[in-house]
Amino acid sequence: MSDGIGALERALGVEVVATGDEIPVRNWNDWAGLDPVRPLALVRPRSTEEVAAALRICSEWRLPVVPQGGLTGLAGGARPRADAVALSLERLAGVEDIDPASASMLVRAGTTLQAAQEAAAAADLFLPLDLGARGSCQIGGNLATNAGGNRVIRFGMAREMVLGLEAVTADGTVMSSLNRLIKNNAGFDLRQLFVGSEGTLGVVTRAVLRLQPQPVTRVAAFCGLRDYPAVVELLRRARRGLGGLLSAFEVMWPVFCETMFAECAHLRRPLSGRHGMYVLLEAQGYDPHRDGSRFEQLLEGMLVDGLLADAALAGSEAEIRRLWEIRDAVAEFRRIFGPHINFDIGLLPQHAGAYVDRLTPLLETQFPGIRAVYFGHLGDGNLHVVTSVPEGVSAHAIEALVYRLVSEFGGTISAEHGIGTIKKPWLALVRTPAEIHLMRQLKRTLDPHNILNPGKVIDP
Ligand SMILES: Cc1cc2nc3c(=O)[nH]c(=O)nc-3n(C[C@H](O)[C@H](O)[C@H](O)COP(=O)(O)OP(=O)(O)OC[C@H]3O[C@@H](n4cnc5c(N)ncnc54)[C@H](O)[C@@H]3O)c2cc1C
């Protein structure tokens, strides 16, 4: 292995290849919070060619490679191994161009999501992908995990925003498919092979992202409702009443809000009373004369007929940001809960209420003292369950309970964070043997020596 590292150093130079104490502690782990591990070496290429050279050498020497983006992943996918090279994309950053005519941008994989959003906004365009980790997560990581986030209800997941992709496969081949056409059915859609594959099939180096016109209006309200069935009805009415304007539908169970208000001093309660459920509803549009009144009329109608128990309408951009702070406070879970599990399950929106009602008493009886909160992008069926891990209880036992119930409800164990290592033991609960067989065949074809992120997602 040290010969392999020597070959990397000779080919790429010591500015690109760090070893031993030169490897920052930050690269020892991702956000999933497993035990940190120092990798054998940290490679930080500055170009696609350097990524290709690194992979060619690693393939030759059979050195495992763990691709790393912004390290905000929650499935352990970017956590290195002691016998592996960590390949960080942080230096392969920057927006190469923005084309207003085709509304697309060419971005290097190591660009942070926020930097890409800001570059699009500066060109009067809009990159709709958005998540709480925007300041650190990278476009490459977003594509490798097929990130979801706050605006899936309107614009889809990261997958839907990719027009073209450049990726380097395990043997160092550069697969450049930087297509800008919206319609291109010439053969297999290779870019989508890499999206959501969590660094197991190739390293994303550049991408062409599809942009939207920059919205000029944004309105939001924090709504209090009686119960979960009212949330499902609100979703139906908001979809019909706002049409294409509906940009976020974030659902929070009371236990989530009460925990956040108690633990995060900077948060303000938008509503004075207590309610059975809460929804952060947001619309973005292009008509400053009508969008606000359309939103207000919808709210008024639902307050009058009793679907909403109460609602706080944000009167300014600063107030909208304050409402989002409640939802984005999820970054505080580590401080609040200590050891915890951040579940990212997917269920049909009409099933999530019943799921939580079944899960809560089961958790409390089987794991006395456990704390659990529930929230999610329920407009797209994504429910986050965050539980503490009481002393003496194994995380595996809590996972078994949560995931078996998900499988009973016909849901998925990962709506957006991916499988990584953490969910790998549970994949077969929600994927058929034929699906897993085909995933293995693809892995063996693209990475015959199993050097790319080995041990993550599936074993070949
Ligand atoms: C506060 C907070 C909020 C979050 N909110 C959301 C949310 O709303 N929706 C959501 O989907 N996720 C969310 N996440 C999870 C996380 O931000 C996303 O999964 C994000 O897309 C990961 O990007 P990253 O650059 O940090 O990737 P990393 O964590 O570095 O890596 C993630 C996976 O992708 C692989 N990878 C990284 N870069 C590349 C590359 N260039 N080529 C190939 N493989 C690569 C890694 O090997 C790993 O398997 C949140 C995380 C935090 C901490």
Side-chain angles (χ1 to χ4, degrees), residues 399-460:
E399 286 167 359
L401 175 59
V402 170
Y403 290 142
R404 293 215 168 99
L405 198 57
V406 164
S407 151
E408 243 181 74
F409 274 79
T412 177
I413 59 169
S414 176
E416 56 179 17
H417 297 160
I419 296 298
T421 46
I422 291 181
K423 289 173 218 145
K424 196 173 140 197
W426 308 105
L427 189 60
L429 267 182
V430 292
R431 291 295 212 166
T432 64
E435 285 176 308
I436 290 177
H437 179 67
L438 187 52
M439 288 186 210
R440 288 207 170 107
Q441 279 183 317
L442 284 169
K443 172 71 177 166
R444 280 199 293 264
T445 304
L446 286 173
D447 182 14
H449 304 302
N450 191 25
I451 63 153
L452 265 183
N453 228 356
K456 315 286 168 67
V457 190
I458 44 150
D459 292 317

Side-chain angles (χ1 to χ4, degrees), residues 2-314:
S2 59
D3 289 347
I5 303 297
L8 283 169
E9 282 171 338
R10 281 191 298 282
L12 298 165
V14 286
E15 319 86 72
V16 173
V17 183
T19 52
D21 292 342
E22 297 162 3
I23 302 173
V25 173
R26 164 185 147 67
N27 294 87
W28 293 20
N29 215 349
D30 63 12
W31 200 267
L34 299 168
D35 290 339
V37 184
R38 183 162 72 184
L40 210 50
L42 173 67
V43 177
R44 283 176 285 192
R46 297 156 295 195
S47 64
T48 301
E49 292 69 33
E50 286 187 347
V51 173
L55 286 178
R56 221 174 291 123
I57 293 166
C58 289
S59 175
E60 218 168 278
W61 291 90
R62 306 287 191 264
L63 269 176
V65 179
V66 179
Q68 293 188 333
L71 299 164
T72 67
L74 296 169
R79 177 179 177 251
R81 298 164 31 140
D83 64 347
V85 168
L87 181 78
S88 167
L89 278 298
E90 68 189 53
R91 288 181 180 164
L92 190 54
V95 173
E96 290 194 9
D97 72 56
I98 297 183
D99 176 22
S102 63
S104 61
M105 75 196 307
L106 176 57
V107 194
R108 298 192 187 120
T111 314
T112 64
L113 172 58
Q114 188 168 340
Q117 288 173 334
E118 286 170 0
D124 202 23
L125 287 162
F126 181 54
L127 174 60
L129 186 65
D130 189 42
L131 38 140
R134 62 185 79 75
S136 308
C137 65
Q138 300 176 359
I139 295 298
N142 296 150
L143 297 182
T145 56
N146 185 25
N150 302 329
R151 311 213 189 284
V152 176
I153 194 166
R154 172 142 165 212
F155 298 100
M157 298 184 69
R159 188 183 293 293
E160 270 90 18
M161 296 168 204
V162 191
L163 290 173
L165 194 86
E166 180 183 82
V168 183
T169 52
D171 62 358
T173 302
V174 179
M175 201 285 308
S176 196
S177 183
L178 292 171
N179 165 72
R180 282 191 189 255
L181 300 170
I182 290 174
K183 300 173 86 170
N184 187 346
N185 273 349
F188 296 167
D189 192 346
L190 296 174
R191 73 198 148 147
Q192 296 296 356
L193 261 185
F194 299 96
V195 179
S197 68
E198 300 179 54
T200 60
L201 300 183
V203 176
V204 177
T205 46
R206 293 191 291 169
V208 180
L209 302 178
R210 185 176 184 180
L211 303 174
Q212 302 292 332
Q214 175 78 3
V216 293
T217 64
R218 179 153 93 129
V219 270
F222 199 83
C223 309
L225 300 96
R226 191 179 53 250
D227 52 20
Y228 191 80
V231 171
V232 179
E233 177 59 11
L234 172 60
L235 177 60
R236 197 185 66 80
R237 300 261 292 263
R239 276 200 172 119
R240 204 180 46 189
L242 297 170
L245 301 186
L246 179 61
S247 55
F249 190 92
E250 297 296 317
V251 178
M252 292 159 256
W253 269 252
V255 65
F256 170 86
C257 289
E258 294 311 325
T259 304
M260 290 328 208
F261 292 135
E263 301 279 356
C264 305
H266 68 286
L267 298 181
R268 303 264 169 283
R269 280 179 189 277
L271 302 172
S272 49
R274 303 283 196 273
H275 301 280
M277 290 297 298
Y278 299 94
V279 174
L280 172 55
L281 191 65
E282 187 199 74
Q284 289 185 316
Y286 302 94
D287 188 341
H289 303 296
R290 297 217 192 106
D291 293 348
S293 52
R294 187 169 169 187
F295 191 81
E296 279 172 45
Q297 275 167 18
L298 178 77
L299 284 186
E300 266 170 37
M302 295 189 296
L303 281 164
V304 170
D305 67 22
L307 180 64
L308 297 185
D310 199 0
L313 181 68

